[in-house]
């Protein structure tokens, strides 16, 4: 386990410099008389690569820029598998995708690779309906709608794919009625500045 951890740490150091094809093979030489083990790490560095292009595929709903702004790796950066894995984690944390695959591919330019992210989208709209009764409020019907990948500016996609969030809550009853609508823009002015707006009655 310690040698596996050491291999990972060695690779991570090399990844930051673009050595994405590095191979590290530990060789163990046990000494039974002293109950010790010598470990030799054989390292095949390969050559360092930089990113030529970052390609995104599989997104039929989510806008390209919504995905790219979460990327930790960009053209001109070293082909760093640590940054690639960080980008995968960020994309999965958005909760828009069922799966995210990432892989570098060779190009016709010496020392350059493309980094490819292939996403599999999932449903982001939610709806719930219910009813109840209480002594204070009487009969109450409840409708809740939410879309976590909303786009207020694009009706052509049925207002989806812009990375915004909208929530609607409607409660109607014999004694009370409630209505609330909230909107969230997590990247106002295309920077990580969050805007929340809510209206209610």
């Amino acid at each position: 386990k310690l040698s596996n951890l050491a291999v990972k740490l060695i690779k991570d150091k090399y990844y930051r410099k673009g050595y994405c094809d590095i191979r590290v093979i530990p060789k163990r030489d046990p000494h039974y008389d002293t109950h010790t083990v010598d470990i030799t790490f054989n390292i095949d560095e390969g050559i360092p690569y930089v990113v030529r292009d970052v390609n995104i595929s599989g997104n039929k709903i989510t806008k390209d820029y919504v995905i790219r702004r979460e990327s930790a790796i960009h053209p001109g950066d070293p082909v760093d598998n640590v940054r690639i894995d960080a980008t995968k984690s960020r994309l999965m944390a958005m909760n828009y995708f069922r799966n995210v695959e990432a892989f570098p591919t060779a190009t016709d330019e010496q020392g350059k690779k493309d980094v490819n992210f292939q996403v599999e989208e999932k449903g982001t709209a939610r709806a719930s309906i219910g009813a109840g009764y209480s002594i204070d409020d009487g009969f109450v019907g409840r409708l809740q709608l939410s879309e976590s990948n909303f786009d207020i500016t694009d009706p052509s996609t049925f207002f989806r794919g812009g990375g915004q969030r909208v929530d609607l809550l409607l409660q109607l009853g014999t004694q009370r009625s409630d209505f609330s609508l909230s909107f969230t823009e997590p990247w106002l002015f295309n920077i990580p500045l969050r805007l929340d707006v809510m209206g209610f009655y």
Side-chain angles (χ1 to χ4, degrees):
K1 290 183 178 179
L2 288 176
S3 62
N4 291 337
L5 176 59
V7 168
K8 181 182 183 304
L9 293 174
I10 292 170
K11 284 185 173 181
D12 287 351
K13 287 287 188 180
Y14 274 89
Y15 287 155
R16 293 186 178 94
K17 298 181 182 296
Y19 291 88
C20 58
D21 294 333
I22 184 175
R23 297 176 63 227
V24 180
I25 301 174
K27 179 183 177 183
R28 300 171 180 84
D29 295 316
H31 300 283
Y32 299 103
D33 54 339
T34 58
H35 304 287
T36 59
V37 176
D38 291 337
I39 301 177
T40 303
F41 294 96
N42 296 313
I43 300 175
D44 180 7
E45 296 179 335
I47 66 171
Y49 290 92
V50 297
V51 179
R52 186 182 70 170
D53 291 315
V54 176
N55 301 314
I56 298 168
S57 62
N59 52 318
K60 298 178 181 178
I61 297 172
T62 307
K63 305 293 194 300
D64 196 75
Y65 70 86
V66 173
I67 298 174
R68 288 186 183 277
R69 69 192 183 189
E70 298 294 334
S71 179
I73 192 163
H74 306 92
D77 290 341
V79 180
D80 182 352
N81 288 341
V82 175
R83 294 193 197 182
I84 293 173
D85 289 342
T87 301
K88 286 180 59 177
S89 297
R90 290 183 187 181
L91 294 179
M92 288 299 296
M94 296 170 74
N95 206 26
Y96 298 164
F97 309 112
R98 185 173 290 107
N99 187 44
V100 177
E101 297 292 338
F103 48 92
T105 54
T107 70
D108 55 3
E109 297 185 42
Q110 180 69 23
K112 292 186 178 182
K113 287 192 175 188
D114 290 341
V115 176
N116 307 281
F117 292 97
Q118 186 172 6
V119 301
E120 181 184 355
E121 293 179 305
K122 65 180 182 179
T124 54
R126 300 289 183 270
S128 65
I129 188 170
Y133 174 81
S134 71
I135 296 176
D136 293 331
D137 300 328
F139 287 99
V140 178
R142 176 186 176 95
L143 172 66
Q144 186 169 12
L145 303 173
S146 67
E147 172 59 71
S148 60
N149 194 7
F150 189 68
D151 189 346
I152 197 172
T153 66
D154 193 357
S156 67
T157 60
F158 301 99
F159 298 100
R160 295 183 303 164
Q164 302 160 346
R165 181 179 181 90
V166 64
D167 292 280
L168 170 68
L169 174 62
L170 178 64
Q171 296 187 123
L172 297 175
T174 55
Q175 302 295 326
R176 62 174 291 178
S177 296
D178 301 295
F179 171 82
S180 68
L181 178 66
S182 64
F183 170 81
T184 298
E185 169 56 80
W187 283 73
L188 188 63
F189 308 126
N190 205 33
I191 61 175
L193 175 65
R194 175 171 170 154
L195 171 68
D196 290 302
V197 178
M198 173 179 283
F200 60 91
Y201 171 77

